[in-house]
Amino acid sequence: MEDRDGIGERRGQAMGYANTLGVQTGELGQLGNDLNISGSTVANSVKRITDNSFGAGDAGRNYANEGKAIGAGLEVAIAWLNNWSSATKAIGDGVGAASLAYSNTDKENAAKTANAAAAV
């Protein structure tokens, strides 16, 4: 790669990457798995919150309005956590699928290269 400004290589080294790009499919697959585990952990937390709801009657006889407000706040938190969990799992699935696609493409290209070399 041509270095037109004279600092491109130093930039790459400073940021911790080389001027070439590679995909480590094992690590990519592990990342997808870790994201799915994280999404499931958040979903389990949502279940614990939902199983222990809080409402007007839980705040005490003189604090029904405050209990309702806490319950409403928890419902908002539950919705956000459900969204977070779903998004994390979807990203994990996408990363896992990308890992398989990279791996399969690499195998196919290696086979094509070996066939081309054998033909020469």
Side-chain angles (χ1 to χ4, degrees):
M1 183 168 138
E2 189 174 328
D3 186 9
R4 294 179 188 223
D5 61 8
I7 60 171
E9 189 170 338
R10 287 178 286 166
R11 269 193 210 129
Q13 291 170 349
M15 293 183 73
Y17 63 86
N19 287 332
T20 59
L21 177 65
V23 175
Q24 302 294 326
T25 57
E27 285 83 0
L28 192 59
Q30 183 63 51
L31 174 61
N33 187 54
D34 290 348
L35 285 166
N36 277 312
I37 291 169
S38 179
S40 293
T41 300
V42 173
N44 289 338
S45 296
V46 170
K47 183 176 177 351
R48 286 197 311 267
I49 294 169
T50 303
D51 288 348
N52 294 291
S53 63
F54 195 92
D58 298 307
R61 185 172 60 198
N62 296 324
Y63 300 98
N65 288 336
E66 289 81 356
K68 286 180 190 176
I70 291 170
L74 287 173
E75 289 300 318
V76 171
I78 287 168
W80 278 101
L81 289 169
N82 278 325
N83 291 339
W84 180 10
S85 173
S86 296
T88 303
K89 289 178 184 180
I91 293 168
D93 290 343
V95 169
S99 173
L100 289 173
Y102 279 123
S103 180
N104 291 340
T105 300
D106 189 47
K107 287 176 188 174
E108 289 171 13
N109 288 340
K112 288 177 186 176
T113 302
N115 290 340
V120 174

